[in-house]
Amino acid sequence: MLSEYDCWMQKRTVESPAGLVLDTVYGEAGGAVALQAGEEFRLGVKRLLGFSPAVRPGNPDVGGKPGVYLGTVAGLKPRFGFPAEKLADGGFFIRTEGESLVIAGQDEPGILYGVFHFLSLLARGKAGGSLDIREEPVSPLRIINHWDNLDGSIERGYAGLSLFFRDNRFDYDRERIRDYARMLASVGINRLSINNVNVRAAAKLLISEEYLGEVAALADVFRPFGIRLLLSINFGAPWSQGKLPTADPLDPAVAAWWKDRAALVYKYIPDLAGFLVKADSEGEPGPFQYNRTHVDGANMLAKAVKPHGGEVIWRCFVYNCVQDWRDQTQDRARAAYDHFMPFDGKFDDNVILQIKFGPYDFQVREPVAPLFGALKKTRHLLELQITQEYTGHQIDMCYLPWVWQDIMEFDTATGPNGRIRELVRPYREGVSSIEGFAAVVNVGRDANWTGHTMAQANLYGYGRMAWNPGLSAPEIAREWSELSFGTGQVADTIADLQLRSYPAYEKYNAPFGVCFMVTPNTHYGPNIEGYEFSRWGTYHRADAQAIGIDRTPSGTGYTGQYSPENAAMFADPARCPENLILFFHRLRYDHKMKNGETLLQNIYDTHFEGYDEVATMLETWKGLKGSLDGAVYGSVLGRLERQLVNAREWRDQINTYFLRRTGIADKRGRKIYE
Amino acid sequence: MLSEYDCWMQKRTVESPAGLVLDTVYGEAGGAVALQAGEEFRLGVKRLLGFSPAVRPGNPDVGGKPGVYLGTVAGLKPRFGFPAEKLADGGFFIRTEGESLVIAGQDEPGILYGVFHFLSLLARGKAGGSLDIREEPVSPLRIINHWDNLDGSIERGYAGLSLFFRDNRFDYDRERIRDYARMLASVGINRLSINNVNVRAAAKLLISEEYLGEVAALADVFRPFGIRLLLSINFGAPWSQGKLPTADPLDPAVAAWWKDRAALVYKYIPDLAGFLVKADSEGEPGPFQYNRTHVDGANMLAKAVKPHGGEVIWRCFVYNCVQDWRDQTQDRARAAYDHFMPFDGKFDDNVILQIKFGPYDFQVREPVAPLFGALKKTRHLLELQITQEYTGHQIDMCYLPWVWQDIMEFDTATGPNGRIRELVRPYREGVSSIEGFAAVVNVGRDANWTGHTMAQANLYGYGRMAWNPGLSAPEIAREWSELSFGTGQVADTIADLQLRSYPAYEKYNAPFGVCFMVTPNTHYGPNIEGYEFSRWGTYHRADAQAIGIDRTPSGTGYTGQYSPENAAMFADPARCPENLILFFHRLRYDHKMKNGETLLQNIYDTHFEGYDEVATMLETWKGLKGSLDGAVYGSVLGRLERQLVNAREWRDQINTYFLRRTGIADKRGRKIYE
């Protein structure tokens, strides 16, 4: 029986790989992570093969007995002779040597990741025969961001209350947090911020003695899994908390306050990864308040954490959120590039910019932000959103690795090998390098972690893609489905459903990259003009003839932030990808699209199709009745039924909106309400 | 100096009426209200003339000494000889007899109202010379509804937290409640419901011993002012609170539960006026849940309170709030009439229906509901809203007696003398009679009670108009302004501002009665399509050619609910009042209005004008600088400045919306944003 709680780490009985002695594990003497690796091997084998191997940590028999050898490359090299070149941190070898299985990590996390990799192979029936695997993460930083508030609520959370907090206290089930850490480590996550980037109310006190003991206790739970914590901080803390007259980053008293504060924090959590900062963004305090730059702000904080080996992750989600809709000269899409590109090379070496993948805000479809490929002398990360803020609130099924794959494959055309996935690498000054990923997570206290059981695939997929951005969405769907549902027809069907879900969602959503036709605040369901006259800089300006913003040089000039090749491509309606054409262009409804139909007819068509595809997904799911655990079947069924209602609203509101604007009926005569 | 707290009962020095001996008050032996009348006379004279008369209650000198004589008509008749015909309850005579002032009430509240009437004359310099006044309320029931929640919040409250509750406890300043009761009594209010009609959470326990002692204590504060309390109850209480398996009104156990409950409530508050019920409305429980009628529900409750002299006030705000916008056959405007008209004559004699003035929901401009004039065998009230839910949240200045006057003057054409104000009278079976008014109040803990000091006029005006629906909005504005600001140029200017405020507000709001172009949920500021695809039954269906709902017989048939004359008038675009034309008709933008301009041009014109009028109001206010208390000046100034921002948003969003829909520019060439 499927356990929703166990996600992709289901208990099941698989065949033991022939010829391997797995009942004794010899572990190298090591730290907590190496120890945990042995324990995870034991638990995994118990879960999949039904017996509990003896684990002998710190006492590896390298004398020749057959068994499982877990250790670092350095430790195991004398006997097993690994290649000379160094793996990336977290990399590992898996080899069979006679009856022995050898898992050698470049470091302790590498051992742990190797164990999880082997268990994944084992669960999917791929651990048989001779193994000779070399694997390493492409990106050094694979980060989860929690937007959890201390009162227990989660900003943009759709799976219950916070795993960590309630009623302004740390309040968690330690075993559950261990299970969570295990899941994350199994897909390679190595950093985790525990609190919302909007740091308000009690959360400001996380960096005070009021809470630091409890932060340290939580760090203890994650540490054996190779996960280091981050704390989101409030830039205004010296003023609001420290009672200084200012939080000006160039004021020596402010810098001194942060220095002292960092020392206190690191006294409690010496391996804290650092601070995550949302400054001058959507009302949060920041250096602009004091006429200082983001370089001033970030570097001041960086100097405070530097003595402790900490880093400052500084978000680039900085834009004018009190824009006047009447003003057509401003363009929110330009903001991150305009704010940060001039400072390339000015940030300290322990500052890492965190840049949302697109210029807006996690929309269903938006272009890749032009800072990627452009920044050459600044450490930076690419930020994604696993939680389904704009992608269906974990009511609608929406498999996100599809869109992430499109991001990874985007060619920045800023040089040879300029695809996003090709830019992911450890930082080297002068070379555009994305050091990794951060993503807002989709978990909460719901029994199945993610509300929608199918949304577990997005968490899994994020980890996998952060580890290796060259993995394809179908490969990941297949892995996840087999791990969750076993290797059979059901898993095939569910993997296929996942792959169908994102295209369907995109079709019934805002058309062709126009963005933000969503219900304000909640961001679920359609509201075509909901953001049209708002202060958020998110307009489509549909009138009776045309829709969209001209972002070419004849308009806001946003396309000019890209490389010349991309700038030319996006600015040319004939070459601009059609799924983004309304992001870059203002088009008449009679604009002819590549399929020969008008833009308007394409809007109608995609919206009828999107709904129909959800209806088909629902039928597919109903076909699984009896092949699945009843509770899982029922909970997903209920969500698909709600999704169909939502898809119908999107279809009808979008189509009615454009019919009313244009008076032009669907050429295929389908029902559009007047 | 003006005290905002004192509203229309300002302390000031006025001239004492010549020839009257006011320093001794002879009061009849009576109850608490008669006693309070004496005390109010003393306080009022102290406030206005600067001395405190001696009050001799229960020991009236009718031996001939000059002084002030307060008593009932019956008690004072032997000496002063009043006419034989009986006044309505609460009526009074005021006479000067030589050096004596005689205030004779038909009953104890009549004495109190007479005292307040005299004080109002005194404050406005109109108490001189010989007085011979006969005054009585036109409507027996003059009710204030609080939408206060026990947590202290107020649904649609814009003046701070609840006066009564906080943190699920009764929590009030007894002196402040006395001041509030005094204000209300001074304008004739005689009933007050203390809690929100949406009875949720702890409020359900108001009718339990948990809270009844405190309800009784609050009733004690209001009682001397002639104000009886009402409690809003939850129709589902037998189920949710009584743990019965049902709340079916025809289940004997349910009826018995309510009977016992009523007995308990009346043990604590023997003069409770009764229960106020919102049933089957916007998610509240009601008889429909059990396939019963509203007659079944209301009469069952009526029988429970009947032995105690209580009444059941049953709201008619019953409509389908999960409508599908695609369905053009349903019309929310029809709901109240369709639900209640068939049951005329079926309600018990202690059931009173409470009917919102219009068929929608307190819109800036909507027609008078067709139940008025039609119901002939059912007791009923007309419900208004003093709190500015759709009329500017007490940020925008909006003098509501203007719209109330329009309601009062509306001729139902259901018989001779069919104007609303002519139908207001005590109930007599077979004759359409509106027994009075209920209104959602606009007060909270703000120092000036109503947030916007100018909004005090709406509370004052409601009381005055409920007492006498024949009073005009300008008369009331003048009274209020003189009472609040003295008799001079400042009062004239402010009264004039009040009168300009509603027409300006209407102009910049949703045009020509189309309603609901407002921000969903909050109901402040424009959102042209905010309710267009919602479940609330509130649509305008604007397309490129036309806007509005056809409610004539060729459409939803709503006009057919009116008398034949009115039905014909509303159904004819040439005769339908233009301020309601988009409520009743779907019109092309090029429809010619009476001024010869198109509908579209009229929309543009009114919206430019509305904004300009607010700008002028602001200038007028600035002209008062120095003539007014600085705090009052500043707080109103700040609100007028915010109103100007709001008016600009309305103007521009409305105009841009229609420009985008039609592509037709303003013929006067004013700026409309594209």
Side-chain angles (χ1 to χ4, degrees):
Chain A
M1 276 293 78
L2 188 78
S3 155
E4 289 186 296
Y5 180 87
D6 291 335
C7 296
W8 54 86
M9 304 179 90
Q10 295 292 315
K11 185 172 184 338
R12 70 166 64 96
T13 307
V14 301
E15 214 178 320
S16 188
L20 283 184
V21 173
L22 299 177
D23 60 358
T24 309
V25 179
Y26 301 100
E28 197 175 270
V33 181
L35 271 175
Q36 193 65 36
E39 172 66 1
E40 292 303 322
F41 191 89
R42 187 185 71 77
L43 287 170
V45 166
K46 186 157 175 242
R47 168 163 71 80
L48 296 167
L49 300 178
F51 66 90
S52 189
V55 182
R56 304 193 177 160
N59 182 22
D61 183 333
V62 290
K65 286 199 194 135
V68 179
Y69 290 86
L70 304 185
T72 57
V73 173
L76 294 172
K77 198 166 183 176
R79 175 165 170 199
F80 296 105
F82 297 104
E85 44 114 39
K86 191 177 168 295
L87 292 174
D89 289 353
F92 54 84
F93 295 100
I94 301 177
R95 277 208 217 145
T96 46
E97 296 260 348
E99 291 177 304
S100 289
L101 171 71
V102 185
I103 301 179
Q106 180 60 37
D107 45 22
E108 293 197 11
I111 311 173
L112 184 69
Y113 299 143
V115 166
F116 284 124
H117 189 86
F118 175 77
L119 293 171
S120 169
L121 295 174
L122 187 60
R124 289 181 290 135
K126 293 182 163 58
S130 147
L131 298 175
D132 187 3
I133 293 168
R134 176 188 185 286
E135 174 78 25
E136 60 185 347
V138 176
S139 51
L141 295 173
R142 303 173 302 276
I143 307 175
I144 285 288
N145 289 164
H146 277 258
W147 283 359
D148 295 20
N149 300 316
L150 265 69
D151 64 5
S153 65
I154 302 179
E155 186 159 336
R156 310 305 177 187
Y158 312 106
L161 293 178
S162 167
L163 290 171
F164 306 137
F165 309 114
R166 193 175 288 189
D167 294 336
N168 294 318
R169 300 185 301 114
F170 277 79
D171 175 324
Y172 56 82
D173 172 346
R174 195 181 156 87
E175 274 315 300
R176 183 161 192 178
I177 302 300
R178 284 177 62 84
D179 292 339
Y180 179 48
R182 172 177 299 114
M183 276 207 297
L184 296 182
S186 80
V187 290
I189 300 302
N190 64 357
R191 298 278 190 282
L192 182 137
S193 65
I194 63 172
N195 63 307
N196 190 354
V197 289
N198 294 316
V199 183
R200 294 180 192 145
K204 295 185 186 178
L205 300 179
L206 283 176
I207 56 169
S208 76
E209 298 210 275
E210 185 78 24
Y211 286 116
L212 277 168
E214 296 182 275
V215 177
L218 188 62
D220 291 345
V221 184
F222 281 99
R223 189 174 294 108
F225 293 91
I227 297 170
R228 291 166 66 189
L229 298 193
L230 289 152
L231 286 171
S232 299
I233 56 112
N234 185 303
F235 193 82
W239 176 83
S240 64
Q241 198 178 331
K243 311 303 174 203
L244 297 184
T246 176
D248 179 352
L250 297 193
D251 185 305
V254 170
W257 188 90
W258 278 115
K259 209 168 162 236
D260 290 351
R261 187 58 49 160
L264 178 70
V265 170
Y266 276 90
K267 194 179 85 182
Y268 279 89
I269 313 112
D271 65 347
L272 188 83
F275 293 153
L276 174 60
V277 192
K278 176 178 181 180
D280 288 320
S281 175
E282 299 181 333
E284 295 304 308
F288 285 170
Q289 286 182 297
Y290 307 101
N291 288 314
R292 307 303 183 189
T293 69
H294 281 237
V295 172
D296 296 332
N299 288 355
M300 179 276 292
L301 284 172
K303 286 176 178 61
V305 297
K306 178 89 175 179
H308 315 285
E311 287 165 341
V312 169
I313 301 186
W314 190 270
R315 289 176 92 236
C316 294
F317 189 51
V318 177
Y319 68 99
N320 176 9
C321 69
V322 288
Q323 195 174 324
D324 188 330
W325 59 269
R326 300 165 187 81
D327 176 4
Q328 304 213 6
T329 63
Q330 265 198 65
D331 181 2
R332 170 170 163 183
R334 297 185 57 110
Y337 189 98
D338 283 347
H339 280 303
F340 287 91
M341 197 60 215
F343 296 115
D344 191 25
K346 303 277 194 264
F347 288 97
D348 282 5
D349 64 3
N350 62 330
V351 172
I352 308 176
L353 300 185
Q354 181 166 316
I355 307 164
K356 286 192 180 187
F357 79 82
Y360 258 171
D361 184 23
F362 301 136
Q363 297 297 288
V364 182
R365 178 68 69 182
E366 55 176 311
V368 172
L371 279 170
F372 297 111
L375 286 174
K376 305 242 192 270
K377 294 177 284 182
T378 305
R379 299 179 64 184
H380 60 284
L381 298 166
L382 188 148
E383 181 175 344
L384 298 168
Q385 196 179 41
I386 313 171
T387 193
Q388 292 176 236
E389 177 178 356
Y390 295 96
T391 52
H393 283 206
Q394 284 137 254
I395 298 165
D396 294 21
M397 185 169 169
C398 189
Y399 179 66
L400 297 171
W402 259 144
V403 69
W404 300 338
Q405 175 180 307
D406 287 351
I407 295 164
M408 301 305 174
E409 294 299 326
F410 175 71
D411 191 347
T412 63
T414 50
N417 305 317
R419 285 192 170 74
I420 292 292
R421 66 173 163 78
E422 294 168 322
L423 303 181
V424 177
R425 53 199 165 201
Y427 177 68
R428 229 171 65 229
E429 190 176 323
V431 179
S432 174
S433 34
I434 299 168
E435 257 181 287
F437 301 89
V440 189
V441 77
N442 61 348
V443 300
R445 289 194 196 205
D446 279 3
N448 68 348
W449 301 89
T450 55
H452 200 316
T453 301
M454 296 294 110
Q456 294 175 353
N458 291 329
L459 180 56
Y460 180 85
Y462 168 69
R464 296 292 290 136
M465 218 170 238
W467 176 280
N468 179 5
L471 286 174
S472 76
E475 284 175 275
I476 293 169
R478 160 65 55 141
E479 276 181 20
W480 169 81
S481 198
E482 289 185 356
L483 290 169
S484 302
F485 298 97
T487 50
Q489 183 57 46
V490 169
D492 290 351
T493 303
I494 291 175
D496 181 59
L497 259 182
Q498 290 280 17
L499 294 175
R500 286 150 64 190
S501 66
Y502 176 79
Y505 191 88
E506 184 176 12
K507 278 183 184 173
Y508 64 75
N509 215 273
F512 301 109
V514 79
C515 301
F516 277 105
M517 286 184 167
V518 69
T519 305
N521 308 320
T522 71
H523 301 165
Y524 185 76
N527 190 332
I528 321 296
E529 299 218 336
Y531 275 105
E532 191 53 22
F533 298 96
S534 75
R535 62 186 177 87
W536 299 100
T538 49
Y539 316 115
H540 55 69
R541 301 204 174 95
D543 65 18
Q545 269 76 45
I547 181 173
I549 306 291
D550 180 0
R551 291 195 161 100
T552 72
S554 65
T556 71
Y558 166 69
T559 54
Q561 294 184 341
Y562 288 92
S563 68
E565 292 93 311
N566 283 345
M569 173 186 68
F570 286 135
D572 178 357
R575 292 172 57 217
C576 179
E578 281 196 337
N579 58 13
L580 286 168
I581 200 160
L582 290 180
F583 193 92
F584 286 104
H585 296 278
R586 181 167 182 82
L587 296 181
R588 290 177 55 90
Y589 297 118
D590 59 7
H591 171 85
K592 276 276 181 306
M593 303 282 275
K594 286 175 185 148
N595 60 7
E597 304 278 13
T598 62
L599 169 63
L600 180 70
Q601 187 60 43
N602 270 278
I603 292 174
Y604 292 157
D605 287 346
T606 49
H607 285 79
F608 283 114
E609 286 163 23
Y611 172 83
D612 291 345
E613 288 171 19
V614 175
T616 311
M617 285 164 57
L618 179 59
E619 289 315 304
T620 301
W621 188 259
K622 286 179 177 168
L624 292 174
K625 189 170 183 180
S627 317
L628 273 176
D629 178 88
V632 174
Y633 174 79
S635 100
V636 172
L637 179 71
R639 281 180 159 80
L640 281 165
E641 284 166 345
R642 290 170 71 190
Q643 178 170 9
L644 192 65
V645 171
N646 189 40
R648 179 166 176 259
E649 276 309 314
W650 273 101
R651 178 196 69 184
D652 289 345
Q653 290 196 31
I654 292 267
N655 286 347
T656 295
Y657 180 89
F658 288 103
L659 175 65
R660 288 187 183 175
R661 291 309 157 270
T662 64
I664 301 170
D666 171 42
K667 65 184 270 190
R668 291 177 182 81
R670 291 161 294 193
K671 174 71 179 171
I672 299 180
Y673 299 86
E674 288 187 339
Chain B
M1 276 293 80
L2 187 77
S3 155
E4 289 185 297
Y5 180 88
D6 291 334
C7 296
W8 53 87
M9 303 180 89
Q10 295 293 315
K11 185 171 182 339
R12 70 167 64 98
T13 308
V14 301
E15 215 179 320
S16 188
L20 283 184
V21 174
L22 299 177
D23 59 359
T24 309
V25 179
Y26 300 100
E28 193 176 272
V33 180
L35 271 176
Q36 193 67 36
E39 172 65 1
E40 292 303 323
F41 191 90
R42 187 186 71 78
L43 289 169
V45 166
K46 187 160 174 242
R47 169 164 71 81
L48 296 166
L49 300 177
F51 66 90
S52 190
V55 183
R56 302 191 178 163
N59 183 21
D61 184 332
V62 289
K65 285 199 196 134
V68 179
Y69 290 85
L70 304 185
T72 57
V73 173
L76 294 173
K77 197 168 185 176
R79 176 164 170 199
F80 297 106
F82 297 105
E85 40 116 38
K86 190 176 168 296
L87 293 174
D89 289 352
F92 54 84
F93 296 100
I94 302 177
R95 279 208 216 144
T96 46
E97 296 262 345
E99 292 178 302
S100 289
L101 171 70
V102 185
I103 301 178
Q106 180 60 36
D107 44 21
E108 294 198 11
I111 312 173
L112 185 68
Y113 300 143
V115 166
F116 285 124
H117 190 87
F118 175 77
L119 293 171
S120 169
L121 295 174
L122 187 60
R124 289 181 290 134
K126 294 182 164 57
S130 147
L131 298 175
D132 187 4
I133 294 168
R134 176 190 185 284
E135 173 79 26
E136 59 184 349
V138 177
S139 52
L141 295 172
R142 303 173 302 276
I143 306 175
I144 285 286
N145 289 163
H146 277 258
W147 283 359
D148 295 21
N149 300 314
L150 265 70
D151 65 4
S153 66
I154 301 179
E155 185 158 335
R156 310 305 176 186
Y158 312 107
L161 293 177
S162 168
L163 290 171
F164 305 137
F165 310 114
R166 193 174 290 187
D167 294 336
N168 295 316
R169 300 186 300 114
F170 276 79
D171 175 325
Y172 56 82
D173 172 345
R174 195 180 156 90
E175 273 315 300
R176 183 162 191 175
I177 301 301
R178 286 178 62 85
D179 292 338
Y180 179 49
R182 172 178 300 113
M183 276 206 300
L184 296 181
S186 80
V187 291
I189 300 302
N190 63 358
R191 298 279 189 279
L192 182 137
S193 65
I194 64 171
N195 63 307
N196 191 354
V197 289
N198 294 316
V199 183
R200 296 183 190 142
K204 296 185 186 179
L205 301 180
L206 282 176
I207 56 169
S208 75
E209 298 210 270
E210 185 78 25
Y211 285 116
L212 277 169
E214 295 182 276
V215 177
L218 188 62
D220 290 345
V221 184
F222 281 100
R223 189 173 295 106
F225 293 91
I227 297 171
R228 292 167 65 189
L229 299 193
L230 288 151
L231 286 171
S232 299
I233 57 111
N234 185 304
F235 193 82
W239 177 82
S240 63
Q241 197 178 331
K243 311 301 173 205
L244 296 185
T246 177
D248 179 351
L250 297 193
D251 185 306
V254 169
W257 189 89
W258 278 114
K259 207 165 164 242
D260 290 351
R261 188 57 49 159
L264 177 69
V265 169
Y266 276 90
K267 195 179 84 183
Y268 280 90
I269 312 113
D271 66 346
L272 188 82
F275 293 152
L276 174 60
V277 191
K278 176 178 181 180
D280 288 320
S281 174
E282 299 182 333
E284 295 304 307
F288 285 170
Q289 285 182 298
Y290 307 100
N291 288 314
R292 307 302 184 192
T293 69
H294 280 237
V295 172
D296 296 331
N299 288 355
M300 179 277 292
L301 284 173
K303 286 175 180 61
V305 296
K306 178 91 174 176
H308 315 285
E311 287 165 340
V312 169
I313 302 186
W314 190 270
R315 291 175 92 236
C316 295
F317 189 51
V318 177
Y319 68 99
N320 176 8
C321 69
V322 288
Q323 195 175 323
D324 189 329
W325 59 270
R326 299 165 188 82
D327 176 5
Q328 304 212 6
T329 64
Q330 264 198 66
D331 181 3
R332 169 170 164 183
R334 298 185 56 109
Y337 189 98
D338 283 347
H339 281 303
F340 287 92
M341 198 59 215
F343 296 115
D344 191 23
K346 304 277 193 261
F347 288 96
D348 280 4
D349 64 4
N350 62 331
V351 172
I352 308 175
L353 300 185
Q354 181 167 313
I355 307 165
K356 287 192 181 188
F357 79 82
Y360 258 171
D361 184 23
F362 302 136
Q363 296 298 289
V364 182
R365 177 68 69 181
E366 54 176 311
V368 171
L371 279 171
F372 298 110
L375 287 175
K376 305 242 192 271
K377 295 178 283 182
T378 305
R379 299 178 64 184
H380 60 283
L381 299 166
L382 188 147
E383 181 175 344
L384 298 168
Q385 196 179 40
I386 313 170
T387 193
Q388 292 175 237
E389 176 177 357
Y390 295 96
T391 50
H393 282 206
Q394 283 135 253
I395 297 164
D396 295 20
M397 185 169 168
C398 189
Y399 179 66
L400 296 171
W402 258 145
V403 68
W404 300 338
Q405 175 180 307
D406 287 350
I407 295 164
M408 302 305 173
E409 294 299 326
F410 175 70
D411 190 348
T412 64
T414 49
N417 305 317
R419 286 193 169 73
I420 293 292
R421 66 173 163 79
E422 294 168 322
L423 304 181
V424 178
R425 52 197 165 202
Y427 177 69
R428 228 171 65 230
E429 191 176 321
V431 178
S432 174
S433 34
I434 300 168
E435 258 180 286
F437 301 88
V440 189
V441 78
N442 60 349
V443 300
R445 290 194 196 206
D446 278 3
N448 67 348
W449 301 90
T450 55
H452 200 316
T453 300
M454 295 295 110
Q456 294 174 353
N458 291 328
L459 180 57
Y460 179 85
Y462 168 70
R464 296 292 291 136
M465 219 170 238
W467 178 279
N468 179 5
L471 286 174
S472 76
E475 283 175 275
I476 293 169
R478 162 64 56 141
E479 276 181 20
W480 170 81
S481 198
E482 289 185 355
L483 289 170
S484 303
F485 299 97
T487 50
Q489 184 56 47
V490 168
D492 291 351
T493 303
I494 291 176
D496 181 59
L497 259 181
Q498 290 280 17
L499 294 175
R500 285 150 64 190
S501 66
Y502 177 80
Y505 191 88
E506 184 176 14
K507 279 184 183 174
Y508 63 75
N509 215 274
F512 301 109
V514 79
C515 299
F516 276 105
M517 288 185 166
V518 69
T519 305
N521 308 320
T522 70
H523 300 164
Y524 185 77
N527 191 333
I528 321 295
E529 300 218 337
Y531 276 105
E532 190 54 22
F533 298 96
S534 76
R535 65 185 175 86
W536 299 99
T538 49
Y539 316 116
H540 55 69
R541 301 203 175 97
D543 65 18
Q545 269 75 46
I547 181 172
I549 306 292
D550 180 359
R551 292 195 160 100
T552 72
S554 65
T556 71
Y558 166 69
T559 54
Q561 294 183 343
Y562 288 92
S563 68
E565 293 92 314
N566 282 345
M569 172 186 68
F570 285 136
D572 178 358
R575 291 172 58 217
C576 179
E578 282 197 337
N579 57 14
L580 287 168
I581 200 160
L582 290 180
F583 193 92
F584 286 103
H585 296 278
R586 181 168 183 81
L587 296 182
R588 290 178 54 89
Y589 298 117
D590 58 8
H591 171 86
K592 275 277 183 302
M593 303 281 277
K594 286 175 184 149
N595 61 7
E597 304 279 12
T598 63
L599 170 63
L600 180 70
Q601 187 60 43
N602 270 278
I603 291 174
Y604 292 158
D605 287 347
T606 48
H607 286 80
F608 283 114
E609 286 163 23
Y611 172 83
D612 291 346
E613 288 171 19
V614 176
T616 311
M617 285 163 57
L618 179 58
E619 289 314 304
T620 302
W621 187 259
K622 286 179 177 170
L624 292 174
K625 189 169 183 179
S627 316
L628 272 176
D629 179 270
V632 174
Y633 174 79
S635 98
V636 173
L637 179 71
R639 281 179 158 80
L640 280 165
E641 284 168 343
R642 289 169 70 190
Q643 178 171 9
L644 192 64
V645 171
N646 189 40
R648 179 165 176 258
E649 276 309 314
W650 274 100
R651 178 194 70 184
D652 289 345
Q653 291 195 29
I654 293 267
N655 286 348
T656 294
Y657 180 88
F658 288 104
L659 175 64
R660 288 187 184 174
R661 292 307 158 268
T662 62
I664 301 169
D666 171 44
K667 66 183 271 188
R668 291 177 182 79
R670 290 161 294 192
K671 174 72 179 170
I672 299 180
Y673 297 88
E674 290 188 338

